[in-house]
Every structure is written in C-alpha cells, then in structure tokens.
Amino acid sequence: MQPGGLKYPVHIWWDGPGQRYRFDVYGGMDSTGWDLKQGFNWNLYPRIDKVACDFSNGTVGPTATTTTRQWLMGQLGLGDGESSSPLPDISKWEYAGTAQIRNADALVWQLSVRNGEKTANYQFLTARNGWPLAFYMMGRNLITGSHFDEYVIEFTRFKPGPIAAAAFALPGACKDAASREGERGPGEKGQQAAGVESGGVAARMGMLLPAARLGAAPVSAVLDKLRAASETTLEANARFINEHNRRYRAAAATAATAAGAAAASSAATANADDGADAAPSYRLSLNRFAYMTHQQWAASMLGLKPKDRSAGGSAAASETGTEPGSGLQRLRGSGGSGAARLGVYRRVLSDEQLPSFVDWRGTGADGPGVKDQVSCGSCWAFSAVGAMQGAWFKATGQSLSLSEQQLVDCAWDYGNDGCGGGFVEPTLQYVVDAGGVAQEADYPYAGQNTFCRGPIVPPPEPSDDNSTTALGTTEQQHQQQHQQKKGKTKASSPPLSARFSGYVNVPERDEAALMEAVALHGPVAVLMNAALPPFRFYSEGVYYNQECGEDPDSMDHAVLLVGYGTTQEGVDYWLIKNSWSKYWGMDGYARIARKGNDCGITTDPVLAVVDSGAAAQALKADAAAANPAAAAAAAAAAAVAAA
C-alpha cells in the first residue's frame, strides 16, 4: 500500500471467560468492542472532526436466533467457549533456538504451513517466561486472517490477569447510539443483523479485526481449523479458475480453427463465462483475494454505495439537506446537487474522426500508476482522484498524485461514508467547495477512516439547475456561487495543490461520446458491476459476462476509464484502471467488452473540470521555474509599472 510498508499501533484487551474484547487502532482513533454474553458490539470511528459510533444489539447473545448468532460469529472468526486467546498456541510448533530482540534474549518457535502453491512461514518470539515479544509472518495473517503478505507484530506491552470492566465500557458516543437502537420498533434489531448491510459490515470487520478465538477447542486446533478453512476457500477458488480457463482454452482452439477474423471474434465473445456452453474471452488467475470468501471480498474491495429507494437515499444525504435518491439518481435525474455540475458533454467529432485506439497508461494523465484501496470501500475516492489527476495533467502538463484519504476523511457530508462507500459526483462537489485537493505525499492514504485534516465545508444545497452547458463554458457564475462555501482550513492542514471548477456528465449509454471524451479530455471516472465472482480473479483478455447488470441499481464499483481499442481478433474493449494494486489483472488494469454488455461502463461517466485560474497559475509557475531570469525581469517590470 505504501512504498515502505505501513506501521501503526494496536491495543487489544481480551477477556476469555467474559467473552469480551476491544480492539483499538491508532491510539483509539478507531475502536471496536464486542460483548458476546451481553449481545452487542460497537465501532467508534472518526467522522470529519468528531467521533461517530455504530452500535448493534441483538446480533449475538441470548436475544439473537441461533442461526443469526452462528452466522455473524462465523463472519468475524469467533466461536463459543472460554479456553483460547488471540495469541497463537505454540505447543505444536518447532523450537528453533534463541535470538536477540531489543537487547533481550528470546526463544524462537517456528511453523511452516503449505497454502496451495505457497509455503507460509511463521516465527513467534517469546521471553523465557512465555510472554510475547514478536511475531513474524510470511503468509496469511494468523491474527487478522488477512491475505498472504509479510507481517511483523512487535509486542511492546503485555499484562496478563483480570481486566477492569471500564476497558469494555461503551464510549459516550456509543451510549447515544445504543439509546437510539433501543428506540427502534419491535423486530427491527434482529432483522438488521441478518440483512445485507450488516453482512457487509461483519465481513469487512472480519477482515480487519484480530481473530480472538473464544472456542472450546485448544488454540492449536482453532488455528488448524483457520488454516483448513483458508485452504478450503483457496481450493474452491482454484477449481473455479481452472474450470474457467479450461473453457477459455477450448474457446481459443475453436477461434483458431475458425475461418476469418469475424468467426474468431464471434467465438471469442459469444457467451458469458458461467454458462454451460460458455466461450470466455478472458483468463483468470489466483491472486491475493483467493483466501477470501466472496462476501469478504465484496465487503472490503468494492465501495460504491447502493441505491436505497425505500429511504429515498443515504442517511447522510437526508440529514444534510441534499436531494433524495442515490448519487446516480440525484445527479443525473435532477441536473445535479450543486453548481459543480457544469452540464452534459457535447460531442465535437464525427464517428469517423474518432481515434480507433486510446491508451493513457504510462503517461502523466495516468498519475503515479495503480494504487491499492486495501480493505476499505473507497473505490469512489480513487475513481474521482483518477479523473482529477488526468484533467489536471491535460490542463497544466503536471502529473500529480492526489490524496484519496482527504476525500475519505472530509467528504462525509456529501453523502459518502468513508470506508463504508460513497459516490463520485458529490465527491467532486466537495473538492470544488473545499477549494481544492492535497497531494498524496502531504495527506497519505491510511486504508481506514481518520480525522479530516483538509478543509471542512458545509453540506451542499439542493439545486434545480438543469443546465446542459458544454465542457469549456465560462465558470464565472459557478465561482461566484461557491466563493462563500470555501472550506475551513486549519493551520496544520496540508496545502491544496489542485483546484477544480466542477464536473461534466457524459451522456448515459452513449458509447461514441465516451470514446471522444476519453480521447480528447483524458481519463474518465466510470462505474461498473464488478461483484460477480469471475471479476476478482481476472488476469487478462477482454472481460465479458452476460450476467453483468448495466442499470444504475447494479453499479457497485467505481474505476477509471483510461482508453479503448480493438484486439487483433476484432473484439472491441474499454481499458480501465482499478484500485486493487498492480497484483490484480493486467498489472492493475483490465479490458472490458465495449460492444454488447459492458458491465455498466457507459452508465454514468464523469469528467473532472480544472479551475481555469488554477491552471493558469500552474503554467505560470512552471514557466518561471524553467526560466528564472525571465520571471525575475517580468516581476521587476511589473513592480516598476505599479510604482
């Protein structure tokens, strides 16, 4: 995620007999607690400049049904009993001698585990009295259950014995949330726990929290079960991939023997990959998602907020005065939630004038390359940042790496929920109202919600503006409307390096307009239906799945459109950039079918528009840096003229 890795403090309080634990990250900035006997859990997290709490009651304990209890605890890696702890049981590990760690003698214990085609190696270092000192893992994280990687846990403090009840007490903000939970109508508590939203939250928490095993079996048996479950998931995914690739090879053989390019194209794109007679046009491969269940993967790696028709939009949107409906419905249907929407894209080229091939990869418009959203539903922030980076490069020639974390932390009042999901257009509205966005070096990505260090702005006001202004129209009126809404910036806030005047929507389902937009104006933020199982293992080729949804309700992921083209076999495709690291797909990119079902790529494309004044300043600064003597002379002449 970061060039040098990521290091952060974690505190854990664990009470086996009481079936309680608490997990704090970054000194309690994000805190989660569970009490299985009382039947509740809570998560305290930053929301802009305050703390917020999600509280759930009736999901575990005697008030929950057996099925719900088992389901939720299974998602979180929890079990019943009192005998185990969140530390590994090394009774079956091999003793490997002694070592020095922090000027102290340590006993070294080793374990090797075969995981599919890889061998995971673990070393646990203890003091002579058995207290933990360090835990080195090259493999799947045995504490959190995270993907195969390198992990180092340094224990700086360990205190066995009874824990004061205050450690598990509900924080103040959570007491308020618990009171609101208690005011809900009969039957609502338990039903929520079994719903899709609770399932997603539980699955995502299961990826982040330590596997505090409260099981009746010994810890070594629990770890064996964890590894077995991991291998079972891996093997099931491997079988799925092998079966798909078998059909891919069969389809390729058919295409190779077919006469002419038209027959080859037909064979390559004929069917989806899941049908009995499928002829897939893309390959799959095992990647870092292979150890996750599909629900865990979807909860942690997607992030576009779903449409809630019954509630008329997200809770955040209804509380802040924005228009009802999802980001798609609100911004397309009513003409935008604020003056940042500059209109609908208007074509200037004929179909014959459109380039046959566009690829922004490796250029300044593509920014620093592929990033990784980690286990945070922030795809919307990466998509918005990608569009802004491309627009800024086209306007100024500067290739910047802008901050997704600023958007995750600061854009809550625009209908977003941080790592819980968000929208692209309202996020660009925030950037306009805030007066700009910082660079990633000044506001680095954390992979979770943190307190806002950028401008804090009031929520957007509803707008009845149904303008269809074309790209490039004057921005004076827009600037005047939003001048009074500049964000409150603290003295310690990072500098804002790029300013934007708004965004333009490309007409829905207009393939030619989208081709022109990405060709003439750079990368475009787009949505897609990515939650189908094959997409997470995509490796190469043109992804085509007839089960993909193309309507707004089916959109669950935001990506960046960086080009388009046609394969040698005559298959048309869109070229997208994902935010799942370079270890997914084609070094982080993918080709999506352009003709027929495109999984929603043309459903809601968005172009970012650079503030013309900011672009002029950037060009002037670059010119001065390139020719300091001329810049000094111009400044002197200006001073004389002023005098």
Side-chain angles (χ1 to χ4, degrees):
M1 182 176 66
Q2 299 288 355
L6 182 68
K7 182 177 181 178
Y8 56 93
V10 172
H11 294 78
I12 298 175
W13 293 259
W14 187 85
D15 174 11
Q19 295 192 353
R20 303 177 296 181
Y21 79 82
R22 173 180 157 193
F23 179 65
D24 285 8
V25 181
Y26 291 104
M29 181 172 60
D30 190 298
S31 179
T32 302
W34 286 82
D35 190 322
L36 300 187
K37 288 186 175 180
Q38 295 296 319
F40 64 80
N41 65 280
W42 48 267
N43 178 217
L44 193 72
Y45 56 91
R47 189 189 187 283
I48 308 180
D49 57 347
K50 299 179 177 62
V51 294
C53 182
D54 292 335
F55 178 87
S56 180
N57 195 7
T59 58
V60 290
T63 60
T65 66
T66 302
T67 301
T68 301
R69 177 184 174 89
Q70 292 176 346
W71 170 84
L72 183 60
M73 292 165 65
Q75 288 294 322
L76 295 171
L78 296 170
D80 295 317
E82 303 177 355
S83 62
S84 60
S85 81
L87 299 178
D89 178 3
I90 57 176
S91 60
K92 294 185 179 181
W93 294 31
E94 293 183 2
Y95 173 66
T98 61
Q100 286 286 119
I101 179 171
R102 298 193 293 271
N103 298 320
D105 290 332
L107 305 180
V108 182
W109 309 87
Q110 291 187 160
L111 175 69
S112 294
V113 179
R114 184 71 177 174
N115 283 315
E117 299 178 354
K118 296 181 179 180
T119 299
N121 294 297
Y122 303 94
Q123 284 191 339
F124 193 68
L125 281 66
T126 71
R128 294 190 178 275
N129 64 357
W131 289 16
L133 296 176
F135 194 6
Y136 298 95
M137 293 176 275
M138 178 57 76
R140 191 168 188 266
N141 192 321
L142 295 183
I143 300 299
T144 68
S146 297
H147 60 270
F148 198 104
D149 208 330
E150 180 182 10
Y151 302 91
V152 180
I153 298 178
E154 298 178 353
F155 295 91
T156 58
R157 183 171 181 265
F158 179 76
K159 183 180 179 181
I163 302 176
F168 304 103
L170 280 178
C174 294
K175 291 180 181 178
D176 295 337
S179 298
R180 292 192 297 270
E181 176 78 6
E183 295 171 357
R184 299 174 62 187
E188 292 183 70
K189 300 176 185 177
Q191 293 293 332
Q192 183 191 25
V196 175
E197 282 301 307
S198 292
V201 171
R204 182 171 167 270
M205 290 175 68
M207 298 299 299
L208 299 175
L209 296 180
R213 303 283 165 171
L214 309 180
V219 183
S220 57
V222 173
L223 288 177
D224 288 340
K225 185 177 181 180
L226 170 66
R227 289 192 293 271
S230 170
E231 291 166 3
T232 299
T233 301
L234 175 67
E235 291 169 359
N237 287 328
R239 286 193 299 270
F240 173 82
I241 290 168
N242 289 337
E243 177 62 21
H244 170 93
N245 288 339
R246 181 187 66 79
R247 295 198 302 275
Y248 178 92
R249 289 188 292 270
T254 301
T257 57
S265 174
S266 176
T269 61
N271 297 298
D273 77 297
D274 288 331
D277 301 320
S281 58
Y282 58 96
R283 295 180 187 268
L284 305 182
S285 66
L286 286 176
N287 55 33
R288 64 192 180 99
F289 304 138
Y291 293 97
M292 300 182 188
T293 66
H294 185 70
Q295 188 176 29
Q296 286 175 327
W297 168 78
S300 58
M301 299 311 301
L302 300 179
L304 192 71
K305 289 183 64 175
K307 179 179 293 184
D308 185 353
R309 294 185 182 274
S310 63
S314 69
S318 62
E319 291 171 1
T320 57
T322 55
E323 294 182 52
S326 74
L328 296 174
Q329 183 186 58
R330 178 171 63 248
L331 294 167
R332 288 206 324 272
S334 68
S337 66
R341 185 180 189 273
L342 300 179
V344 178
Y345 184 80
R346 292 179 178 174
R347 292 187 60 187
V348 297
L349 302 178
S350 66
D351 289 353
E352 292 73 22
Q353 292 175 312
L354 289 174
S356 61
F357 173 81
V358 173
D359 188 347
W360 289 105
R361 287 179 298 178
T363 71
D366 196 29
V370 177
K371 297 180 180 181
D372 187 358
Q373 70 185 72
V374 202
S375 294
C376 172
S378 54
C379 62
W380 52 276
F382 284 83
S383 179
V385 158
M388 288 188 288
Q389 289 172 167
W392 187 260
F393 175 78
K394 288 285 291 180
T396 68
Q398 297 178 348
S399 182
L400 303 181
S401 178
L402 300 177
S403 172
E404 293 84 9
Q405 191 66 42
Q406 178 185 342
L407 309 183
V408 170
D409 292 346
C410 306
W412 289 75
D413 282 339
Y414 288 73
N416 301 322
D417 288 330
C419 284
F423 308 111
V424 173
E425 288 105 321
T427 300
L428 295 173
Q429 175 80 57
Y430 159 77
V431 172
V432 173
D433 294 345
V437 60
Q439 294 195 56
E440 185 174 23
D442 297 320
Y443 201 144
Y445 190 63
Q448 71 165 54
N449 301 323
T450 62
F451 286 108
C452 176
R453 295 193 291 116
I456 299 175
V457 298
E461 297 295 333
S463 171
D464 293 327
D465 177 26
N466 287 292
S467 167
T468 55
T469 306
L471 184 65
T473 299
T474 179
E475 304 156 5
Q476 181 178 4
Q477 182 180 3
H478 164 76
Q479 298 283 7
Q480 292 173 347
Q481 289 174 335
H482 285 271
Q483 191 63 40
Q484 71 274 17
K485 293 186 66 176
K486 294 293 185 182
K488 299 182 297 180
T489 303
K490 303 176 183 177
S492 60
S493 296
L496 304 180
S497 298
R499 298 204 312 270
F500 296 83
S501 59
Y503 61 87
V504 169
N505 290 105
V506 179
E508 178 183 355
R509 310 302 300 166
D510 190 334
E511 183 179 298
L514 184 54
M515 293 170 67
E516 179 182 306
V518 72
L520 298 185
H521 300 286
V524 181
V526 296
L527 311 181
M528 69 174 296
N529 179 203
L532 297 175
F535 191 68
R536 65 170 165 149
F537 298 119
Y538 168 86
S539 176
E540 61 180 352
V542 179
Y543 180 78
Y544 174 80
N545 193 329
Q546 65 182 6
E547 295 184 6
C548 264
E550 297 181 284
D551 60 287
D553 286 342
S554 299
M555 301 300 100
D556 49 40
H557 190 45
V559 294
L560 187 69
L561 181 66
V562 295
Y564 61 85
T566 304
T567 68
Q568 293 181 347
E569 294 77 23
V571 181
D572 297 325
Y573 64 84
W574 297 113
L575 179 64
I576 65 155
K577 176 184 181 181
N578 209 341
S579 51
W580 295 346
S581 88
K582 64 180 181 179
Y583 300 109
W584 175 89
M586 301 164 53
D587 294 326
Y589 299 85
R591 292 174 176 174
I592 310 294
R594 179 156 55 92
K595 294 293 176 65
N597 189 327
D598 66 1
C599 292
I601 296 296
T602 53
T603 297
D604 188 34
V606 180
L607 276 169
V609 180
V610 174
D611 180 276
S612 58
Q617 292 176 3
L619 292 171
K620 184 177 180 180
D622 284 348
N627 193 343
V640 171

